[in-house]
């Protein structure tokens, strides 16, 4: 299929106020001629980012956006590679460092308000300009995770990184899934050093200008960084700098570097006061999934942190009912990331309902797995990857739920390129199956099923039996009592998976 058959048009994006599509002279809502490199796991991403930032010089521009940033996270494991140190050193060399980090909520609620603030303090003390951004819909977050590096006079070095990996603890893992030595506290099932599975993209070529435009639209938003007078007072007492310096003029887009067409997809909630670049919000992430699923005929392969919501389920059900040969395979976490009552039950109840509907609608064509490392510890799946028919891929910050499709800010990149899609699907499959063999599209469903069956049988076998290759296990779905389901379902809908659409779209049940 041609890229135009997979990608949204500017009209289909549904946000005429953004510069993202208007900036393309040919009228396309995507760019051609890019090189996209998957960076599977935080270790690969962090090493690439550290190497690129360390080469930046006076006059270069470093832009970053994050949901959580731990200033002491070591990108290479070595002293001096801490996020704050790396970015602050760049600022001292004369690099123009700008950051937008979600203000977040209290650390006591397992969020990261303190860490995010300290990251900004370190960078600002070195001459950078990093601010805490709470310009979100009530109860929402800025969930985007991307970095843009521009080099005036050296455009061949320009690069953008985007995906699901935050610049924080627990993310620096690799394919062995031994976990990041700098870990964050999670549910006990994941152990003291939680294994972490994630994916980021490195992008070069004209798309770098698109990613930069996403940053500039947010940076230039004139609304106050926080509407709370209490937060503004606390900022003043601490000496935090709430004002943003004007950005330098945007450079021309880098020259083509490869064969990949790339479309950026976003979510912005319908916010009080509106975003000037998205007055009614933007839901191109959801719209792109809907268009891609309408083209699906053979396999939808998903890796995601969540699998929630009636709206998500409706798209999958429609695709499975329309295409009788279509199969759906997902890799998600075995258990929620937190043990608390208010986290555990709502996560599992919402997921169980969706899976029940999918299995009923397409028996034998739906399979969902968790993964574990060689020690049998569950691996927390934080990746946000979807591959459709080895034709279309999306990698980004958005999860497979209503919150990410309508409420929080998100950024993803879609790549409609058969070779890229096939190679990424097979790279992920080789890790999960512990094999170097190629995995044809038509064999993917059964290969995962056979591997998961073998590992499940081994866990029931007598001690000392040789472990089969593979890391996939059937998903844990503990039974929840009726009373638990009642309160957890309400809590899930109101708190965990809110709806950020304008009222007219909610009533029409569309994005």
């Amino acid at each position: 299929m041609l890229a135009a058959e997979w990608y949204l048009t500017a009209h289909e994006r549904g946000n005429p106020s953004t510069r993202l599509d208007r900036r393309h002279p040919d009228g396309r809502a995507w760019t051609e001629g890019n090189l996209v490199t998957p960076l599977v796991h935080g270790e690969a991403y962090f090493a690439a980012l550290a190497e690129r930032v360390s080469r930046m010089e006076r006059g270069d521009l470093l832009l970053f956006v994050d949901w959580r940033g731990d200033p002491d996270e070591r990108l290479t494991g070595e002293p001096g590679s801490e996020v704050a140190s790396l970015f602050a050193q760049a600022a001292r060399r004369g690099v123009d460092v700008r950051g937008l980090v979600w203000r977040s909520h209290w650390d006591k609620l397992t969020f990261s308000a303190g860490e995010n603030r300290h990251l900004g303090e370190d960078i600002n003390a070195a001459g950078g300009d990093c601010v805490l951004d709470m310009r979100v819909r009530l109860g929402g977050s800025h969930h985007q995770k991307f970095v843009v590096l521009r080099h005036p006079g050296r455009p061949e070095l320009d690069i953008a990184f985007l995906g699901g990996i935050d610049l924080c603890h627990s993310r620096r893992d690799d394919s062995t899934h031994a976990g990041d030595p700098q870990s964050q506290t999670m549910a006990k099932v994941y152990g003291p050093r939680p294994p972490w599975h994630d994916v980021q993209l490195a992008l070069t070529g004209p798309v770098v200008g698109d990613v930069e435009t996403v940053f500039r639209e947010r940076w230039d938003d004139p609304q106050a960084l926080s509407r709370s007078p209490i937060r503004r007072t606390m900022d003043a007492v601490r000496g935090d700098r709430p004002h943003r310096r004007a950005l330098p003029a945007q450079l021309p887009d880098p020259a083509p570097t490869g064969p990949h067409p790339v479309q950026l997809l976003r979510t912005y909630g319908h916010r009080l006061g509106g975003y000037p670049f998205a007055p009614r919000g933007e839901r191109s992430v959801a719209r792109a999934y809907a268009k891609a699923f309408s083209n699906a005929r053979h396999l939808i392969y998903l890796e995601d942190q969540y699998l929630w919501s009636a709206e998500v389920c409706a798209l999958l059900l429609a695709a499975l009912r329309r295409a009788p040969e279509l199969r759906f395979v997902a890799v998600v976490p075995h258990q929620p990331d937190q043990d608390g009552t208010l986290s555990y039950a709502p996560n599992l109840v919402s997921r169980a309902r969706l899976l029940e509907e999918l299995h009923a609608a397409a028996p034998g064509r739906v399979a969902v797995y968790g993964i574990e490392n060689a020690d049998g510890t569950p691996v927390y799946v934080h990746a946000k990857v979807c591959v459709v028919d080895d034709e279309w891929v999306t990698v980004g910050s958005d999860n497979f739920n209503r919150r990410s499709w309508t409420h929080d800010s998100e950024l993803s990149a879609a790549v409609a390129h058969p070779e890229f899609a096939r190679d990424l699907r097979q790279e992920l499959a080789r890790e999960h199956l512990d094999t170097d063999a190629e995995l044809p599209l038509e064999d993917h469903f059964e290969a995962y099923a056979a591997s998961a069956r073998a590992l499940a049988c081994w866990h029931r076998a007598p001690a000392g039996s040789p472990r089969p290759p593979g890391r996939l296990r059937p998903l844990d779905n503990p039974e929840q009592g009726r009373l638990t389901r009642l309160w957890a379902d309400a809590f899930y809908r109101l708190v965990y998976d809110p709806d950020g659409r304008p009222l007219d779209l909610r009533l029409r049940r569309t994005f």
Side-chain angles (χ1 to χ4, degrees):
M1 280 182 146
L2 297 175
E5 298 179 56
W6 290 98
Y7 288 152
L8 300 174
T9 64
H11 176 72
E12 288 171 332
R13 184 185 295 275
N15 180 16
S17 298
T18 182
R19 301 198 304 265
L20 192 56
D21 297 330
R22 294 199 310 270
R23 65 188 305 274
H24 300 144
D26 54 10
R28 287 177 175 167
W30 64 90
T31 58
E32 302 275 356
N34 307 289
L35 181 63
V36 185
T37 305
L39 302 173
V40 182
H41 306 306
E43 184 179 64
Y45 167 43
F46 285 177
L49 178 63
E51 191 272 334
R52 290 283 190 154
V53 172
S54 67
R55 293 164 52 189
M56 299 187 81
E57 301 175 355
R58 179 174 296 278
D60 292 344
L61 181 63
L62 188 163
L63 311 173
F64 75 98
V65 167
D66 214 355
W67 176 82
R68 172 175 179 143
D70 288 320
D72 64 338
E73 174 67 13
R74 293 180 172 180
L75 297 185
T76 67
E78 298 298 322
S81 69
E82 294 84 359
V83 175
S85 296
L86 187 73
F87 288 4
Q89 288 166 10
R92 293 189 189 99
R93 293 196 304 272
V95 177
D96 190 350
V97 179
R98 310 294 184 99
L100 289 167
V101 182
W102 180 47
R103 181 177 283 271
S104 193
H105 304 311
W106 293 336
D107 293 43
K108 291 181 179 179
L109 298 177
T110 70
F111 286 99
S112 54
E115 290 82 358
N116 291 1
R117 177 164 53 82
H118 294 319
L119 175 62
E121 290 171 346
D122 291 347
I123 293 170
N124 293 340
D129 199 350
C130 180
V131 298
L132 297 176
D133 191 356
M134 200 62 178
R135 294 169 294 180
V136 293
R137 185 180 171 88
L138 183 65
S141 73
H142 279 307
H143 198 242
Q144 297 168 337
K145 313 130 189 317
F146 67 90
V147 179
V148 181
L149 309 181
R150 300 301 304 266
H151 308 76
R154 299 176 295 155
E156 69 279 3
L157 299 179
D158 290 349
I159 192 169
F161 300 95
L162 70 81
I165 305 180
D166 300 281
L167 302 173
C168 68
H169 295 164
S170 276
R171 273 52 169 183
R172 190 170 59 84
D173 201 354
D174 59 23
S175 62
T176 65
H177 290 308
D180 187 339
Q182 294 174 276
S183 60
Q184 68 183 68
T185 302
M186 293 179 61
K188 292 179 181 177
V189 69
Y190 293 106
R193 188 169 156 175
W196 195 276
H197 177 71
D198 223 328
V199 180
Q200 198 85 350
L201 297 178
L203 307 132
T204 63
V207 70
V208 173
D210 277 2
V211 184
E212 182 179 352
T213 298
V214 175
F215 182 95
R216 286 175 176 270
E217 286 188 332
R218 276 188 55 187
W219 186 267
D220 294 338
D221 181 353
Q223 189 171 109
L225 290 167
S226 175
R227 295 190 294 267
S228 167
I230 296 175
R231 287 192 175 113
R232 291 200 295 268
T233 300
M234 292 175 64
D235 288 347
V237 170
R238 286 192 296 255
D240 287 354
R241 293 160 44 180
H243 301 294
R244 288 149 285 145
R245 294 177 289 124
L247 287 163
Q250 185 165 352
L251 297 171
D253 290 352
T257 55
H260 301 135
V262 180
Q263 180 167 64
L264 295 190
L265 307 169
R266 306 183 301 185
T267 299
Y268 289 110
H270 185 216
R271 186 188 74 178
L272 179 65
Y275 295 97
F277 53 86
R280 282 173 52 86
E282 181 175 320
R283 291 154 298 278
S284 54
V285 166
R287 293 178 175 207
Y289 272 118
K291 187 166 187 174
F293 288 178
S294 71
N295 288 331
R297 294 294 180 270
H298 306 291
L299 178 70
I300 296 174
Y301 178 71
L302 177 76
E303 294 190 0
D304 207 277
Q305 185 179 4
Y306 303 117
L307 195 55
W308 288 353
S309 96
E311 289 82 359
V312 168
C313 189
L315 288 184
L316 286 171
L317 288 173
L320 289 165
R321 287 166 176 159
R322 186 196 65 257
E325 300 302 315
L326 179 64
R327 293 177 170 184
F328 174 66
V329 176
V331 176
V332 300
H334 276 292
Q335 296 290 331
D337 60 342
Q338 300 297 325
D339 287 322
T341 301
L342 295 182
S343 172
Y344 186 81
N347 274 263
L348 295 182
V349 165
S350 55
R351 187 175 73 184
R353 182 192 303 104
L354 183 145
L355 294 180
E356 183 178 319
E357 292 185 39
L358 292 177
H359 284 297
R365 293 192 286 136
V366 174
V368 184
Y369 305 101
I371 52 178
E372 67 179 32
N373 64 16
D375 295 326
T377 303
V379 176
Y380 191 72
V381 178
H382 191 261
K384 299 96 166 60
V385 177
C386 187
V387 184
V388 178
D389 285 357
D390 280 0
E391 294 276 354
W392 178 90
V393 173
T394 180
V395 177
S397 68
D398 62 282
N399 290 305
F400 216 60
N401 59 12
R402 187 172 63 188
R403 173 181 284 275
S404 280
W405 287 14
T406 70
H407 198 277
D408 295 348
S409 67
E410 308 284 2
L411 176 65
S412 296
V415 184
H417 188 275
E419 184 178 352
F420 178 85
R422 182 184 67 248
D423 288 351
L424 178 57
R425 178 186 59 80
Q426 294 200 126
E427 179 178 359
L428 296 169
R430 284 193 292 269
E431 177 183 315
H432 300 328
L433 299 175
D434 282 326
T435 180
D436 293 327
E438 296 294 307
L439 181 61
L441 181 70
E442 60 271 19
D443 296 338
H444 190 112
F445 190 91
E446 183 50 42
Y448 270 42
S451 181
R453 284 194 300 268
L455 187 55
C457 289
W458 177 80
H459 276 285
R460 296 191 297 267
S465 301
R467 179 184 173 118
R471 311 176 188 186
L472 298 159
R473 293 190 66 184
L475 194 65
D476 297 330
N477 273 313
E479 182 64 30
Q480 305 289 321
R482 182 178 180 184
L483 182 61
T484 298
R485 291 198 301 271
L486 285 174
W487 74 259
D489 182 66
F491 202 80
Y492 145 73
R493 294 176 186 274
L494 293 173
V495 177
Y496 278 94
D497 206 25
D499 195 333
R501 292 174 290 183
L503 181 59
D504 60 319
L505 295 184
R506 294 194 205 187
L507 294 175
R508 297 206 309 267
R509 297 184 179 181
T510 185
F511 297 101

